[in-house]
């Protein structure tokens, strides 16, 4: 697994290499970019320039320093996001732990005089739902019987 600094160095190195290749191609033909409109041909031209033609990278040390800074930033940013998320989660669960029960008690009215009747109403089964459930169970049973009959034929 590559580190954030290695990934940043690779990205920066590739970008800088592309700029160096463009400089070499421009030195050979100042209007090469305007003459080439096809992206694949442009990519082939850029790939045709070798590292030997480019020579050693004079700014490798600087690119490494920039990559280290970028890698540190990415790690620090990731950790910052983790800490923010953790803080929000901690506050949310603490609020749920201490306030949710009380809010439910007040919302349902468990501490009022008619709390028992209120709970009975909340727990009562809706007659329409019961009728629909029974009807659907009967239809399911009929479909299963029909399916068994069709399979036996």
């Amino acid at each position: 697994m590559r580190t954030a600094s290695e990934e940043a160095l690779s990205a920066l190195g590739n970008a800088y290499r592309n700029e160096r290749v463009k400089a070499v191609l421009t030195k050979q033909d100042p209007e090469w970019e305007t003459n080439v409109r096809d992206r694949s041909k442009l990519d082939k031209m850029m790939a045709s320039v070798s590292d030997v033609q480019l020579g050693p990278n004079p700014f490798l040390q600087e690119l490494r320093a920039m990559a280290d800074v970028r890698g540190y930033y990415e790690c620090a940013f990731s950790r910052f996001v983790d800490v923010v998320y953790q803080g929000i989660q901690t506050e949310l669960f603490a609020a749920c732990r201490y306030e949710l029960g009380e809010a439910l008690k007040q919302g349902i009215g468990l501490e009022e005089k008619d709390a028992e009747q209120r709970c009975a109403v909340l727990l009562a089964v809706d007659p329409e739902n019961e009728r629909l459930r029974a009807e659907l169970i009967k239809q399911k049973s009929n479909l299963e019987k029909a399916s068994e009959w069709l399979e036996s034929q």
Side-chain angles (χ1 to χ4, degrees):
M1 186 170 161
R2 291 170 41 162
T3 65
S5 293
E6 290 170 344
E7 288 182 17
L9 180 60
S10 176
L12 289 169
N14 288 337
Y16 184 65
R17 184 187 189 287
N18 287 342
E19 292 303 315
R20 291 175 68 202
V21 167
K22 287 179 184 178
V24 167
L25 292 173
T26 302
K27 198 174 200 179
Q28 293 172 357
D29 178 12
E31 296 182 10
W32 72 275
E33 263 186 302
T34 56
N35 294 335
V36 179
R37 290 209 165 81
D38 184 17
R39 180 68 185 179
S40 62
K41 189 173 180 183
L42 178 69
D43 290 341
K44 286 178 187 175
M45 285 180 72
M46 291 187 69
S48 70
V49 178
S50 69
D51 288 338
V52 174
Q53 286 175 287
L54 291 174
N57 186 344
F59 296 108
L60 186 58
Q61 186 175 358
E62 288 83 353
L63 287 175
R64 283 190 178 131
M66 291 168 55
D68 286 343
V69 170
R70 178 67 184 181
Y72 175 82
Y73 169 79
E74 287 180 13
C75 290
F77 179 76
S78 175
R79 185 65 188 135
F80 173 76
V81 170
D82 290 344
V83 169
V84 168
Y85 170 76
Q86 187 179 24
I88 291 170
Q89 186 179 23
T90 301
E91 287 183 27
L92 178 66
F93 283 120
C96 287
R97 174 184 291 156
Y98 299 116
E99 298 172 14
L100 185 61
E102 192 60 37
L104 286 172
K105 283 180 188 177
Q106 289 178 357
I108 295 173
L110 293 179
E111 296 176 350
E112 295 176 11
K113 292 179 183 177
D114 62 343
E116 192 173 323
Q117 291 173 343
R118 185 183 310 264
C119 287
V121 168
L122 291 172
L123 294 173
V125 178
D126 184 16
E128 180 61 27
N129 284 348
E130 274 300 308
R131 185 193 62 73
L132 182 60
R133 183 179 293 117
E135 185 179 318
L136 290 172
I137 290 172
K138 185 178 177 183
Q139 286 179 3
K140 179 183 175 187
S141 175
N142 289 341
L143 289 171
E144 287 172 348
K145 287 178 186 176
S147 177
E148 289 173 11
W149 182 81
L150 287 172
E151 287 177 6
S152 67
Q153 297 297 322

